[in-house]
Amino acid sequence: MDRLLQLEVFSKTAELGSLSKAAEALRMSNAAASRHLSALEERLAVRLIERNTRRLWLTEAGQELLERSSRVLSELAEAEDIVSDRALSPQGTLRVTSSLSFAVIYLAPMLPAFRARYPKLNMQITTANRYPDFIEAGIDVAIRTREQEPDSNIIVRRIGQMRRVLAAAPSYLASAGEPEQPADLARHNMLVYNLANDPYSLRLRKSHGAQTVRITPTLDSNDGQVIRGAALAGLGILIQPLYIVQSDIAAGRLVPVLVDWELPLLTMNIAYQNRAGLPAKIRAFSDFLVTHIREHSEPGIWMDATK
């Protein structure tokens, strides 16, 4: 019995949470799928999946095998797909989710060129700062800032790391003064993105040391554009990725503060489901986006954008 097919049945069963759904996805009978799974467990002499009448779940050995076999299956599928005809002409609908800021600044401007290269591929972009479930939301690709996914079936491809800055409108600094040390931020109006990691504790570094400052926000929001708008209106000092406010800084609408101090870098990633065969549309989009970011970002925003 084919060892690779056994792994595919096991991986698909774990992904879909159902042996019958895995059989349907792999276009085989339930009995055949069950035989493949049983043969795998017999060959390895270990129980991989436990099940009752309502659900199934992976054993510890099953989790270990899934993590390792998923990478093997994904790499094999990508290798096959690269040389197939469909790699040359992705088609259908690609469903992408990202923050509003990333969609406006990076995704929307690249769409004309992307569409010109792949005219048979339609786009659906959903802006959201929370991380929706891939399967439930029907998502193909998500642009995310977390480096690891709790679901082992999600592949994370790193785009790069970007700088974050503290900045405020000239009108606010004229009335409240400019902070000279990180500790001064405690007395300023702070505009905070509340989905950041530990958003009310700022860790700043420079060559001779580091400081951590606890802040109480005048405004917190789950959207970077709300924070940016409040800063432009003179409400306080924002903490945002540089790509969101670069044009405002260049035009003088916002002024960076504490420029000798650095905030932790923000990692940006592309995430997608680990499938038996990675659709060409996902690979085409991911490669195009990485190239677009590298070629069209202002200097200094990305510290190590993927080459």
Side-chain angles (χ1 to χ4, degrees), residues 129-163:
N129 294 308
R130 293 286 184 184
Y131 297 148
D133 179 83
F134 271 82
I135 296 176
E136 291 181 2
I139 294 167
D140 294 307
V141 179
I143 312 301
R144 298 183 167 178
T145 56
R146 63 187 182 195
E147 298 187 52
Q148 295 181 332
E149 295 288 334
D151 185 347
S152 61
N153 287 319
I154 302 301
I155 300 296
V156 174
R157 175 182 178 181
R158 178 163 156 167
I159 298 175
Q161 290 185 303
M162 61 178 64
R163 293 174 56 201

Side-chain angles (χ1 to χ4, degrees), residues 4 6 17 41 54 59 64 73 77 105 122 142 144 157 160 167 179 194 234 240 248 261 266 276 281-282 303 307:
L4 181 59
Q6 292 172 5
E41 291 181 325
R54 292 179 299 172
T59 64
E64 177 70 18
L73 292 172
I105 294 171
N122 300 319
R144 298 183 167 178
R157 175 182 178 181
N194 58 26
Q240 284 285 280
D248 298 315
W261 294 84
L266 184 67
K281 62 184 181 180
I282 293 179
M303 302 304 293
K307 300 295 190 229

Side-chain angles (χ1 to χ4, degrees), residues 102 106-107 110 114 141 143 159 270 284-294:
F102 194 92
Y106 284 115
L107 297 185
M110 76 171 234
F114 184 71
V141 179
I143 312 301
I159 298 175
I270 302 171
F285 173 81
S286 299
D287 291 346
F288 197 96
L289 175 60
V290 168
T291 299
H292 175 82
I293 287 174
R294 187 172 66 245

Side-chain angles (χ1 to χ4, degrees), residues 219-279:
L219 168 71
D220 68 12
S221 174
N222 66 353
D223 191 278
Q225 290 301 320
V226 173
I227 299 297
R228 172 179 171 266
L232 290 171
L235 190 58
I237 299 174
L238 60 67
I239 310 108
Q240 284 285 280
L242 180 57
Y243 83 94
I244 294 179
V245 295
Q246 174 69 32
S247 62
D248 298 315
I249 291 173
R253 294 186 293 267
L254 293 176
V255 178
V257 299
L258 296 177
V259 293
D260 292 336
W261 294 84
E262 294 183 354
L263 289 160
L265 298 175
L266 184 67
T267 301
M268 190 70 73
N269 304 292
I270 302 171
Y272 49 86
Q273 292 184 66
N274 185 3
R275 301 174 178 177
L278 180 65

Side-chain angles (χ1 to χ4, degrees), residues 19-304:
L19 183 61
S20 61
K21 290 181 179 178
E24 182 180 358
L26 295 172
R27 298 181 180 179
M28 64 176 66
S29 68
N30 289 352
S34 182
R35 287 197 299 271
H36 283 297
L37 185 57
S38 296
L40 177 61
E41 291 181 325
E42 182 178 349
R43 179 164 58 83
L44 298 179
V46 65
R47 189 74 169 173
L48 300 173
I49 294 178
E50 298 286 0
R51 56 194 142 186
N52 57 29
T53 56
R54 292 179 299 172
R55 68 184 186 94
L56 60 78
W57 62 95
L58 297 182
T59 64
E60 184 175 349
Q63 287 283 2
E64 177 70 18
L65 180 62
L66 179 64
E67 292 178 7
R68 295 176 182 274
S69 63
S70 293
R71 290 193 293 269
V72 173
L73 292 172
S74 178
E75 290 174 0
L76 176 61
E78 287 195 42
E80 293 176 343
D81 200 37
I82 286 173
V83 297
S84 70
D85 290 339
R86 67 190 181 96
L88 301 177
S89 57
Q91 53 191 290
T93 299
L94 181 70
R95 296 169 178 85
V96 179
T97 183
S98 79
S99 69
L100 175 62
S101 296
F102 194 92
V104 169
I105 294 171
Y106 284 115
L107 297 185
M110 76 171 234
L111 289 181
F114 184 71
R115 174 71 178 177
R117 181 174 297 183
Y118 304 109
K120 297 181 180 179
L121 184 58
N122 300 319
M123 296 289 296
Q124 182 182 101
I125 298 177
T126 300
T127 58
N129 294 308
R130 293 286 184 184
Y131 297 148
D133 179 83
F134 271 82
I135 296 176
E136 291 181 2
I139 294 167
D140 294 307
V141 179
I143 312 301
R144 298 183 167 178
T145 56
R146 63 187 182 195
E147 298 187 52
Q148 295 181 332
E149 295 288 334
D151 185 347
S152 61
N153 287 319
I154 302 301
I155 300 296
V156 174
R157 175 182 178 181
R158 178 163 156 167
I159 298 175
Q161 290 185 303
M162 61 178 64
R163 293 174 56 201
R164 295 191 298 155
V165 296
L166 294 151
S171 60
Y172 174 80
L173 296 177
S175 62
E178 184 171 336
E180 297 181 0
Q181 296 293 330
D184 295 341
L185 296 174
R187 64 174 177 80
H188 276 273
N189 294 347
M190 301 301 297
L191 313 176
V192 177
Y193 178 68
N194 58 26
L195 296 183
N197 292 329
D198 198 4
Y200 312 119
S201 181
L202 295 183
R203 295 179 297 278
L204 297 102
R205 298 180 61 86
K206 67 178 187 178
S207 57
H208 64 268
Q211 292 188 32
T212 299
V213 180
R214 295 292 300 180
I215 57 174
T216 301
T218 298
L219 168 71
D220 68 12
S221 174
N222 66 353
D223 191 278
Q225 290 301 320
V226 173
I227 299 297
R228 172 179 171 266
L232 290 171
L235 190 58
I237 299 174
L238 60 67
I239 310 108
Q240 284 285 280
L242 180 57
Y243 83 94
I244 294 179
V245 295
Q246 174 69 32
S247 62
D248 298 315
I249 291 173
R253 294 186 293 267
L254 293 176
V255 178
V257 299
L258 296 177
V259 293
D260 292 336
W261 294 84
E262 294 183 354
L263 289 160
L265 298 175
L266 184 67
T267 301
M268 190 70 73
N269 304 292
I270 302 171
Y272 49 86
Q273 292 184 66
N274 185 3
R275 301 174 178 177
L278 180 65
K281 62 184 181 180
I282 293 179
R283 183 172 52 253
F285 173 81
S286 299
D287 291 346
F288 197 96
L289 175 60
V290 168
T291 299
H292 175 82
I293 287 174
R294 187 172 66 245
E295 294 179 351
H296 295 87
S297 292
E298 292 293 329
I301 292 179
W302 295 86
M303 302 304 293
D304 63 343

